[in-house]
Amino acid sequence: MKIVQFLHGNKLGGMEKFCIDLSNTLTSSKEHQVLFLGDSVFKKYLNSNVIFVELDIGRCRNNIMLLLKILKIFKDFCPDIIHVHKQKSIRIMHRLKAFLDTPFVATKHDTQIKKAFYGLKYAI
């Protein structure tokens, strides 16, 4: 299975460690291919089996160039599923989902009710 882990952030905390550990674990067997899309700060924590693509998180989530770059990355990788974390990633996926046939799932890492999760088909 081809999986994208999409994390829009640049600080290493519990949620980020979870995403890194999940990516590393999924690639420990040869059954899954994982592309991790995130800030360069995460690269050193990922094992060599994880495909890392750096995302310039300094850009606004409404930046059309950023959205087109992300869309191209997704189209080139042809994932079976896209797993997004954090509100900014979810909001980006809301903008891109009309251009993708790939299902995406969003993981909520806290207990606060946030608008980004409204209307999602798949959420954890």
Side-chain angles (χ1 to χ4, degrees):
M1 178 179 270
K2 294 176 86 172
I3 304 163
V4 169
Q5 293 285 348
F6 179 23
L7 178 60
H8 194 288
N10 63 353
K11 294 186 172 124
L12 188 63
M15 187 254 317
E16 293 80 8
K17 181 163 178 7
F18 166 79
C19 297
I20 290 165
D21 290 346
L22 178 60
S23 298
N24 289 337
T25 301
L26 286 169
T27 58
S28 62
S29 73
K30 300 298 179 196
E31 297 176 28
H32 304 295
Q33 188 177 10
V34 176
L35 182 143
F36 190 100
L37 181 61
D39 190 82
S40 61
V41 72
F42 305 121
K43 184 176 183 175
K44 65 183 174 185
Y45 301 104
L46 295 166
N47 70 36
S48 61
N49 295 328
V50 176
I51 302 164
F52 177 77
V53 177
E54 184 177 346
L55 180 67
D56 179 9
I57 61 99
R59 294 182 177 178
C60 174
R61 64 182 168 259
N62 297 318
N63 181 304
I64 190 69
M65 297 308 291
L66 175 66
L67 295 174
L68 289 173
K69 178 181 178 180
I70 293 168
L71 185 61
K72 181 174 179 358
I73 291 166
F74 291 160
K75 294 271 187 180
D76 290 347
F77 186 66
C78 299
D80 295 308
I81 192 160
I82 300 169
H83 189 178
V84 295
H85 309 268
K86 297 185 90 165
Q87 284 191 79
K88 286 185 180 181
S89 304
I90 296 166
R91 292 185 190 280
I92 287 170
M93 287 306 301
H94 277 303
R95 289 176 177 81
L96 297 180
K97 69 181 176 184
F99 305 102
L100 295 167
D101 294 328
T102 308
F104 78 96
V105 62
T107 298
K108 188 166 177 46
H109 294 274
D110 59 24
T111 58
Q112 297 175 358
I113 297 172
K114 298 186 178 164
K115 290 181 185 178
F117 285 87
Y118 293 162
L120 288 180
K121 189 171 183 179
Y122 305 106
I124 300 170

